[in-house]
Amino acid sequence: MGIRGLMSFVEDHSNEFFTDLKLRDTRIIIDGYALFHRLCFNSNLELRYGGDYDSFADVVQKFFESLFACNICPYVVLDGGCDISDKKLTTLKERAKEKIQVAHSLSIGGGGFVCPLLIREVFIQVLIKLQVCFVQCFSEADQDIMTLANHWNCPVLSSDSDFCIFDLKIGFCPLNSFQWRNMNMIKGTQNYYIPAKCFSLDALCHYFRNMNKALLPLFAVLCGNDHINLPMMERFLSQVRLPPGAAISKGRRHHRVLGLLNWLSHFANPTEALDNVLKYLPKKDQENVKELLCCSMEEYHPSQVKLQDFFQYGTYVCPEALNLGVPEWVRMALSKGQLAPFISDALVLRRTFLHTQVENMQQPNAHRISLPIRQIIYGLLLNASSHLESMFWNSLPPQIFSEVERINKNIKTSIVDAVQLPKDHSDLSKLNELSLARRQTLLLETLKVKQTILDPVPALLKLPIAVSCYWLQSTEAKAKLHHLQALLLGMLMGPLHAMINSPDEECLQREDGATVLYKELQKMKTRPGPRLDLDTAHVFCQWQCCLQMGIYLNQLLSTPLPEPDLTRLYSGSLVHGLCQQLLTSTSVESLLRMCPEAKQLYEHLFNAMRSSAPAELFLPKGKSNSKKKKQKKQGTNWSKNRVGSISNTRCWYEGSNRFGPLMVENLEEHEASELE
């Protein structure tokens, strides 16, 4: 996030403030938030259709493979939730408003960058797959990153200009000059390195009359970072003298950066400089402003948290979480990324942000559909600790949470009631001790799905299908048959990919139907066009909201259903492309004819969702109500695009079916781990 105008200023003075590096044979601490945004926005990925998560996962994998090739050992540190002071609330709301405007621009064919809803979860799954060490902090990670990098004497990789202020021993490498796609070989060796640039804090201080580096945190809060309300300081800033001949061609922000650094360089230490700042302010405001500035400057001091303990021993002490009385199992799950920051925000602040997607801005925001799931999540978080309860009972009525959500093209804070749950579900500290059966029952009851419906579904697709059943039953969703068909065809990509890349000899011997179907589906990905089908986009945004909250509830209940592989579960450009094809020239049956195994899997998924779908979903347009009732009763005259049901389901479990392991073995492993 960082300091306004600082990064572009130092990059304009690259020769003065940066040194060239040939990076290899080192640890590196990576700002996870900055990295997944950088890879998402700078890899030519399609962002209008809700996320091409397969393409994003491939980019993330290639990034870390480049590091491994150069013997660089990455440690990824992710931000957690907002801290208890809530000092960034104003900034977060402003950014939420900006994202709505960008999402609207994308929805009508304009430009911009908005992260797909599940991008963070996909990023974490790739880290786990590649066995990259990572930790999720309890709140913002910057101080913890700086402290760990200095403990291990290694550089930091980020795009956050706050790292130009931190006193890092080895330095800060900006992501935009980290050339991981252009590895070079050291002459005369077989060793690769990544060309990079490293920011020098000493060089910056030398450029400004050898100023004391301890003054830089004061510069950051005066210039305007995420914690300071900029208008408060305008009176002071308007009177700061610029250096003689300072260029202002880069605009007011560079003008301000130059002026402040030049002005501060005249003082010996932060105390002297702060006293001079206060002289420009009315006496009645001086004490409050001094307290605010001093508090914000502390954000640039070393952290008490020792993340090295987590990477060495699997656990670490977080004083903030301990003081709040957060249950031990919740603290551990948060640190391992097994619970999302959404959960810690709801737990600590009783307030959450619902992130806008590229959706139909004329309709209620897509998150409305998953409100009942969130109310169950909030109900589970109500009774966490006496300390957390005492913080809120005086300010909010019992069982009340607030949500910052999109209303048209603005934001609004809405009040939400948590669901009152039975006593044995209402103690968060013991929630993970409930039996698998009881946790699974609560999950499935929330999603309005019976266990028997999911029995024929492969283990890794049980949660997505359960969520999809919930989605179809909601009156908020306006899903049509082709939306459902496209979604299920997209879900085949993961099993097809696994089958194609299987070491099984039968798969290696020939270019079989799975490969042909996989390639055919890849061809159907929508290329960027002039207009987005907003109704289709909104329907799939609603589905992603259901999936997101279904995953969060499943995680909070310690995964009574296996967590799905999100990297191949949903591709926005694929499902949008399939929708177009299914409405014009293609049928499901003609596609699946290429691969009998995929056809069988599709039918099991379709049949599982059949009982949750409204009857009219399967009827041709214009049929009478009596005809609808008749067809609902008979259950035979469905759309020509529907593949028929299977008469003998026993073959699904037989060894000849190469999708069988996805269903039986994975579920057995999951249940065995639950019993251990």
Side-chain angles (χ1 to χ4, degrees):
M1 294 194 177
I3 298 112
R4 298 174 181 90
L6 179 58
M7 186 60 79
S8 59
F9 170 74
V10 296
E11 286 174 346
D12 280 356
H13 295 76
S14 178
N15 292 337
E16 289 93 344
F17 302 148
F18 288 89
T19 55
D20 291 326
L21 289 184
K22 296 180 178 179
L23 209 63
R24 62 166 288 106
D25 300 324
T26 182
R27 288 169 166 164
I28 191 166
I29 313 302
I30 299 177
D31 177 350
Y33 178 90
L35 177 61
F36 74 70
H37 276 79
R38 176 79 186 178
L39 296 180
C40 181
F41 294 159
N42 291 269
S43 302
N44 200 30
L45 301 181
E46 178 53 58
L47 299 175
R48 290 197 303 160
Y49 301 114
D52 280 3
Y53 295 120
D54 53 348
S55 301
F56 173 72
D58 291 343
V59 171
V60 176
Q61 179 162 333
K62 288 173 184 174
F63 173 85
F64 284 104
E65 286 173 348
S66 293
L67 300 190
F68 300 151
C70 299
N71 197 30
I72 297 170
C73 185
Y75 292 84
V76 177
V77 183
L78 290 157
D79 288 321
C82 302
D83 66 48
I84 196 64
S85 72
D86 219 10
K87 56 184 172 286
K88 290 177 64 172
L89 179 58
T90 301
T91 300
L92 291 172
K93 285 185 174 181
E94 287 302 316
R95 291 200 172 128
K97 290 178 185 176
E98 291 168 6
K99 285 180 183 176
I100 291 171
Q101 299 306 317
V102 177
H104 174 62
S105 172
L106 285 165
S107 74
I108 59 173
F113 298 101
V114 172
C115 266
L117 192 64
L118 299 172
I119 204 82
R120 180 192 177 95
E121 282 68 37
V122 172
F123 181 67
I124 287 175
Q125 287 192 350
V126 178
L127 296 182
I128 293 169
K129 175 188 171 185
L130 298 177
Q131 299 183 344
V132 174
C133 296
F134 75 95
V135 65
Q136 181 174 273
C137 295
F138 187 68
S139 55
E140 194 165 340
D142 289 1
Q143 282 180 283
D144 298 341
I145 290 172
M146 180 264 285
T147 305
L148 179 63
N150 282 343
H151 178 79
W152 278 346
N153 290 311
C154 63
V156 168
L157 183 65
S158 179
S159 56
D160 189 337
S161 57
D162 278 325
F163 289 103
C164 295
I165 304 299
F166 287 119
D167 190 4
L168 292 162
K169 291 180 183 178
I170 302 302
F172 154 53
C173 297
L175 274 163
N176 62 357
S177 55
F178 188 75
Q179 300 179 51
W180 64 273
R181 289 184 170 97
N182 299 307
M183 292 186 297
N184 291 332
M185 187 178 287
I186 298 173
K187 289 182 180 179
T189 74
Q190 296 295 309
N191 298 326
Y192 286 95
Y193 69 87
I194 294 175
K197 290 186 179 294
C198 187
F199 175 76
S200 168
L201 190 66
D202 290 333
L204 178 70
C205 291
H206 177 74
Y207 187 84
F208 289 96
R209 303 173 68 248
N210 289 316
M211 70 183 294
N212 182 352
K213 65 176 69 173
L215 289 161
L216 290 175
L218 179 58
F219 157 75
V221 298
L222 290 175
C223 195
N225 65 6
D226 294 334
H227 309 148
I228 289 292
N229 185 13
L230 199 59
M232 181 191 302
M233 303 306 300
E234 285 299 328
R235 179 169 177 173
F236 159 71
L237 292 168
S238 65
Q239 299 179 56
V240 176
R241 290 186 180 180
L242 288 172
I248 58 172
S249 59
K250 292 292 181 180
R252 188 181 177 193
R253 285 185 178 177
H254 284 198
H255 196 62
R256 175 170 287 173
V257 167
L258 280 165
L260 274 173
L261 287 171
N262 181 70
W263 185 80
L264 286 169
S265 69
H266 291 83
F267 301 106
N269 55 62
T271 302
E272 182 185 348
L274 184 55
D275 288 341
N276 276 272
V277 169
L278 298 175
K279 289 178 183 177
Y280 291 92
L281 303 178
K283 282 194 175 182
K284 63 182 178 64
D285 296 330
Q286 288 182 4
E287 200 57 41
N288 287 339
V289 171
K290 182 177 181 180
E291 184 179 347
L292 177 63
L293 292 176
C294 288
C295 181
S296 296
M297 288 164 63
E298 289 177 6
E299 299 292 325
Y300 297 95
H301 296 165
S303 166
Q304 292 179 306
V305 171
K306 297 179 180 178
L307 290 182
Q308 64 268 23
D309 289 349
F310 179 84
F311 291 121
Q312 290 170 343
Y313 310 117
T315 185
Y316 76 101
V317 175
C318 175
E320 185 181 9
L322 274 176
N323 293 338
L324 289 170
V326 176
E328 182 181 0
W329 79 267
V330 175
R331 297 198 307 268
M332 182 61 69
L334 285 168
S335 66
K336 292 181 177 180
Q338 295 166 353
L339 289 175
F342 176 92
I343 298 296
S344 58
D345 281 346
L347 178 63
V348 173
L349 299 171
R350 286 174 63 183
R351 187 211 61 233
T352 57
F353 276 78
L354 305 178
H355 297 290
T356 300
Q357 303 172 79
V358 182
E359 57 192 75
N360 189 340
M361 299 293 166
Q362 304 300 316
Q363 299 213 24
N365 84 74
H367 288 280
R368 290 286 181 90
I369 195 172
S370 57
L371 175 59
I373 307 176
R374 296 197 300 278
Q375 288 177 298
I376 295 292
I377 292 173
Y378 299 152
L380 292 169
L381 297 174
L382 268 178
N383 301 310
S385 75
S386 56
H387 187 97
L388 279 168
E389 288 172 26
S390 65
M391 289 168 51
F392 294 112
W393 294 134
N394 294 329
S395 57
L396 286 173
Q399 294 181 243
I400 294 296
F401 287 72
S402 63
E403 297 180 335
V404 181
E405 60 175 345
R406 178 185 69 80
I407 300 291
N408 297 318
K409 285 185 276 186
N410 210 328
I411 61 168
K412 176 189 176 183
T413 302
S414 300
I415 300 301
V416 174
D417 283 316
V419 169
Q420 188 71 46
L421 295 166
K423 286 185 178 180
D424 56 353
H425 293 76
S426 62
D427 184 352
L428 182 63
S429 65
K430 297 180 180 178
L431 182 61
N432 62 327
E433 298 173 12
L434 287 177
S435 69
L436 170 62
R438 297 184 76 174
R439 287 181 280 119
Q440 193 172 91
T441 297
L442 177 58
L443 175 66
L444 295 182
E445 284 181 352
T446 303
L447 298 177
K448 305 175 185 176
V449 179
K450 293 180 180 178
Q451 174 63 53
T452 52
I453 289 174
L454 298 179
D455 285 343
V457 176
L460 292 179
L461 291 177
K462 286 183 184 293
L463 183 59
I465 291 299
V467 163
S468 301
C469 289
Y470 171 93
W471 167 70
L472 276 184
Q473 293 177 70
S474 172
T475 56
E476 294 272 351
K478 307 297 182 192
K480 303 288 192 299
L481 179 59
H482 64 282
H483 295 140
L484 173 58
Q485 292 171 324
L487 192 62
L488 295 182
L489 286 169
M491 287 185 191
L492 298 182
M493 294 298 279
L496 286 169
H497 185 266
M499 189 169 134
I500 292 165
N501 292 282
S502 168
D504 186 274
E505 288 185 11
E506 182 186 351
C507 295
L508 294 173
Q509 285 172 359
R510 57 193 173 88
E511 181 98 345
D512 61 4
T515 303
V516 175
L517 177 57
Y518 187 85
K519 290 180 178 178
E520 189 64 26
L521 289 172
Q522 287 282 19
K523 290 178 189 175
M524 292 197 176
K525 287 189 172 184
T526 299
R527 297 293 175 261
R531 299 289 293 183
L532 181 67
D533 182 338
L534 287 178
D535 290 337
T536 293
H538 204 78
V539 163
F540 288 131
C541 284
Q542 289 175 317
W543 180 81
Q544 283 209 68
C545 291
C546 296
L547 180 61
Q548 181 190 45
M549 290 304 152
I551 288 170
Y552 290 173
L553 177 58
N554 190 50
Q555 290 176 339
L556 188 56
L557 293 170
S558 301
T559 58
L561 290 181
E563 191 152 306
D565 178 6
L566 297 173
T567 64
R568 308 268 169 201
L569 182 70
Y570 177 87
S571 167
S573 61
L574 174 59
V575 296
H576 276 259
L578 281 166
C579 281
Q580 293 177 12
Q581 293 295 319
L582 291 169
L583 286 172
T584 54
S585 58
T586 304
S587 72
V588 174
E589 192 163 24
S590 65
L591 273 173
L592 296 183
R593 194 179 292 125
M594 307 172 192
C595 181
E597 296 93 341
K599 176 181 177 180
Q600 189 179 26
L601 174 56
Y602 176 91
E603 289 179 330
H604 278 277
L605 302 182
F606 192 97
N607 288 335
M609 295 183 64
R610 176 178 161 184
S611 62
S612 299
E616 58 267 23
L617 190 74
F618 307 112
L619 297 174
K621 292 180 180 179
K623 296 293 182 183
S624 66
N625 288 334
S626 60
K627 184 78 170 178
K628 289 180 184 179
K629 289 178 183 177
K630 183 178 178 182
Q631 288 189 329
K632 182 180 179 183
K633 184 176 180 180
Q634 293 176 342
T636 54
N637 270 338
W638 287 8
S639 162
K640 66 176 182 179
N641 282 345
R642 189 209 176 264
V643 176
S645 59
I646 293 176
S647 58
N648 181 7
T649 58
R650 285 186 57 208
C651 64
W652 179 247
Y653 300 93
E654 292 174 2
S656 61
N657 188 328
R658 285 169 288 164
F659 285 124
L662 286 172
M663 174 163 183
V664 182
E665 293 174 14
N666 288 355
L667 186 57
E668 288 174 350
E669 288 174 10
H670 178 72
E671 290 178 341
S673 68
E674 285 284 353
L675 294 172
E676 288 176 358

